Amino acid sequence: MFGIFAGCGSNNNNLLENKAISSVDLECRNQCTMRDGTPFIHREFKEEAELKLFTDAIQKAEKLPGILDYEVIFKMRVTFEDRTSKRFYLNISNTTDLQTGLLVEQSNSEQGFQISPKISERLREVIYNTKAS
């Protein structure tokens, strides 16, 4: 089983606890099917390039100030090579408008992390099977 190592890097927020990811599962919540036309209810990502993208998105996400008020688009479970897992909420919309994604640990749902527009666009392409126009 191949995983992406989640260590090294000056921007790390340690959300991955320096563990290698072996898979990412997304579960679409009601809001995403209504709003974004997501082509799946549940999807698993295991390809090397996909895992690297999710690793980068999580590692490089920047902590947001204050307490959040948000709707959940995706529930996300990150499974590590040691077979432990961590749960997040991930908000990436199916829009070509510039967006910053939102990442929230389910265990600390009031603290959010912002995903850069560049990485958010790449995630949108992978999640929704689209290419930027």
Side-chain angles (χ1 to χ4, degrees), residues 39-96:
F40 63 90
I41 302 279
H42 174 265
R43 184 168 173 205
E44 183 177 39
F45 299 88
K46 286 187 149 186
E47 298 296 321
E48 179 179 353
E50 296 168 339
L51 296 178
K52 180 169 181 2
L53 175 57
F54 280 99
T55 298
D56 286 349
I58 296 168
Q59 283 183 322
K60 294 176 181 177
E62 297 179 5
K63 192 174 186 177
L64 293 167
I67 296 174
L68 300 176
D69 181 20
Y70 59 97
E71 292 182 4
V72 174
I73 296 178
F74 295 103
K75 283 187 174 182
M76 179 171 74
R77 186 182 74 224
V78 174
T79 302
F80 302 106
E81 286 190 336
D82 66 3
R83 297 185 186 195
T84 61
S85 65
K86 198 166 190 181
R87 295 181 182 274
F88 296 91
Y89 298 121
L90 175 67
N91 285 0
I92 298 289
S93 297
N94 189 16
T95 179
T96 55

Side-chain angles (χ1 to χ4, degrees), residues 103-114:
L103 179 71
V104 179
E105 281 185 272
Q106 287 185 22
S107 64
N108 185 8
S109 62
E110 293 181 350
Q111 176 61 63
F113 294 82
Q114 175 177 293

